[in-house]
Every structure is written in C-alpha cells, then in structure tokens.
Amino acid sequence: MSKGPGLFADIGKKARDLLTRDYNTDQKFSISTNTLSGLALTSTVLKKGVVHAADVSTQYKYRNALFDIKIDTDSILMTTITITEILPSTKAIASFKVPDYNSSKLEVQYFHDHATVTATAALKQNPLVDVTATLGSPTISFGAEAGYDTTSRSFTKYNFGISVTKPDKCASVILGDKADSIKASFLQHLDESKSSAAVGEVYRKFSTNENVITVGGLYAVDHLTSVKAKLNSNGKLGALVQHEVLPKSIVTISGEIDTKTLEKYPRFGLSLALKP
C-alpha cells in the first residue's frame, strides 16, 4: 500500500484515541494464544453492570488474506475477511453476521500516493452506501464522507475534514452531522519516543448551541507503566493506569467521576489482557 494521506477515519484519530481509548468502567479479561500454524485465538469475558458476556475469536492469515471469526454467548457468529492487493493498491473487506444476514457489508479501499478512496455497501436489496475520499499527503490532507440510503433516496450523512500532521504534533478540524457540528483537536508529543503527550479538543453543535471542551494527557512513568487523564467542561474527569505485567500482557485500571455531582460514587473499570 502507498504512503498517501490515509483514510478519512484517520483524521483526528490520534487525538480521539488518546481521549477515549482504554477508558472503561467495566470488568474485562482476555487471553490470547498463537499456534505454530499462525492461528491466533482470543477468549474474552466481560462484565458490564449486572450483564455478563463472553466471546471467542480466531484470526488466521493466509497469503494476502486475513480471516477473523468471532462467536459470542448469544450464538452470534461474526466473520470478517480482509484481502490486500486483490488489485494493485487495493484492499477489500467483507463482513457478515449469522443469523443477522442483513448486517453483511462489503468495503473496498483504494490507496494512492496523493488520494485514498473507500466505498462501503450493505449486502441487501436496498443497501446503504458510504463513500469517503481523502486528498493530500501524510503531512496535510483534506477529506469528505457521505452516506446514501437507496431506499429513501436521501443522504444519511455528509462530513468534511482537514488534518495537519508533523513528527511531534497533529491537528484536525471535522465538520460533521450534516454541517451541524464542528470538532477541532490538537495533539502535542512531549518527548522523542512519543510516550507522553498532551491533547485538547473543542466540540460545538450549532443546532443546540452545545459546547464541550476536553483536555487530556498521557505520561509514561517508565517503560512499563503509563498514566492517562482527561477532563471536559461538563465536569467529567477520567483517569487510567496501564502496566505491562508480562511482555505484551497489560493490566488497565480506569475510573470516572462527575466533579459536579460528587455525592455520586465514581465508576471504576478493570481490564486484563494476557498475550504469549
């Protein structure tokens, strides 16, 4: 694949991940193993409130094809097949659920040095179609996204974005919700290893005059332990600690508190991921 501007979904992704990734208030345990044949097996148990769930997933790579299969306690089987270089600079992704066949989708991605185009369609009689296009380079890119419902013959969404990426910083602006909202974010790495960073995000929804400002950061205590925290203008404070207990095996403890209603108990989450 070429080193072009990336996907439209990549616009603002670094800042978004720092503010949302690994934050949770559930209890989650997963263990992964790999066989000599290249088959990866992952078992996950999740407790969300009083609800318990579990799933088993397998991943197998054969030449230019990657197969992901997951089955959960509700007997739902989800399969994703990813094929790279089916045509030059092209990737195809097919996914479907059993017994919910209406959820089947096919996505095709095309990568060029100065453009990336994707098209996604639901595999049913009257599909929803999503198309994205990104122009530019790895340093600066402009993108647009649109969704079309072939049943109602109307657009379900259209969004626009711009991203600027430097070795130690990145910034993005996304006009979303059919031009009803705007989100601007900025991320600054604080060291050469990019293990510590600061991030800020401003969100405004025009129809409701809603404004949300979020700031956060990542700090590497050492090569095994990192700390993240975030606070928004609504008073929601979140924090987490991640520690690598064994090579590739990480325990995460996270919590969230509403500083405007301190009488409520904070919510905590625990995640343990074990890998060989």
Side-chain angles (χ1 to χ4, degrees):
M1 297 298 178
S2 65
K3 296 181 179 180
L7 300 171
F8 180 83
D10 294 332
I11 297 178
K13 185 177 185 300
K14 291 182 179 180
R16 185 167 59 249
D17 284 350
L18 199 155
L19 290 173
T20 60
R21 188 175 179 182
D22 298 322
Y23 285 97
N24 73 85
T25 55
D26 309 317
Q27 285 72 51
K28 182 179 179 181
F29 174 78
S30 64
I31 183 169
S32 302
T33 58
N34 293 305
T35 66
L36 295 177
S37 63
L39 180 69
L41 178 67
T42 301
S43 301
T44 303
V45 178
L46 174 68
K47 180 184 178 183
K48 189 171 184 177
V50 296
V51 178
H52 294 75
D55 62 67
V56 177
S57 61
T58 62
Q59 185 179 86
Y60 181 72
K61 185 173 184 180
Y62 179 75
R63 296 183 179 177
N64 64 331
L66 180 66
F67 300 87
D68 284 286
I69 302 174
K70 182 171 72 174
I71 186 170
D72 60 22
T73 49
D74 295 326
S75 299
I76 296 177
L77 178 67
M78 181 172 182
T79 303
T80 303
I81 304 172
T82 304
I83 303 176
T84 57
E85 299 295 339
I86 189 170
L87 294 173
S89 303
T90 303
K91 178 189 292 186
I93 304 170
S95 62
F96 58 89
K97 289 182 181 179
V98 178
D100 184 14
Y101 296 100
N102 288 328
S103 64
S104 301
K105 295 191 301 182
L106 175 64
E107 179 178 359
V108 178
Q109 302 175 349
Y110 174 73
F111 299 87
H112 186 269
D113 289 342
H114 301 291
T116 301
V117 179
T118 74
T120 306
L123 301 180
K124 56 183 182 179
Q125 185 175 0
N126 298 305
L128 296 172
V129 179
D130 290 339
V131 178
T132 73
T134 311
L135 305 176
S137 67
T139 302
I140 182 170
S141 60
F142 304 85
E145 174 186 42
Y148 186 75
D149 188 341
T150 58
T151 302
S152 62
R153 296 183 180 180
S154 61
F155 284 97
T156 58
K157 63 180 177 181
Y158 44 83
N159 307 313
F160 308 91
I162 179 174
S163 175
V164 179
T165 304
K166 298 289 185 180
D168 62 339
K169 63 177 70 72
C170 60
S172 66
V173 177
I174 298 176
L175 185 64
D177 299 321
K178 296 183 179 179
D180 187 42
S181 69
I182 187 169
K183 180 187 293 184
S185 62
F186 179 80
L187 183 145
Q188 173 72 57
H189 294 289
L190 304 178
D191 53 22
E192 294 183 358
S193 63
K194 298 184 179 181
S195 56
S196 298
V199 64
E201 181 184 271
V202 178
Y203 172 83
R204 175 172 174 78
K205 192 172 182 64
F206 300 113
S207 60
T208 60
N209 288 324
E210 177 188 3
N211 297 283
V212 181
I213 300 174
T214 308
V215 294
L218 165 67
Y219 176 70
V221 179
D222 53 41
H223 68 286
L224 297 176
T225 308
S226 62
V227 179
K228 291 172 66 176
K230 63 178 179 179
L231 174 66
N232 68 23
S233 55
N234 291 330
K236 295 293 180 66
L237 173 65
L240 67 81
V241 178
Q242 281 190 330
H243 180 70
E244 189 174 5
V245 291
L246 296 170
K248 299 182 181 180
S249 298
I250 298 175
V251 59
T252 304
I253 302 174
S254 63
E256 182 184 89
I257 187 172
D258 189 341
T259 59
K260 294 183 178 180
T261 56
L262 294 176
E263 66 275 9
K264 293 184 178 180
Y265 289 104
R267 299 187 300 168
F268 293 98
L270 174 65
S271 174
L272 178 60
L274 300 177
K275 296 183 180 181

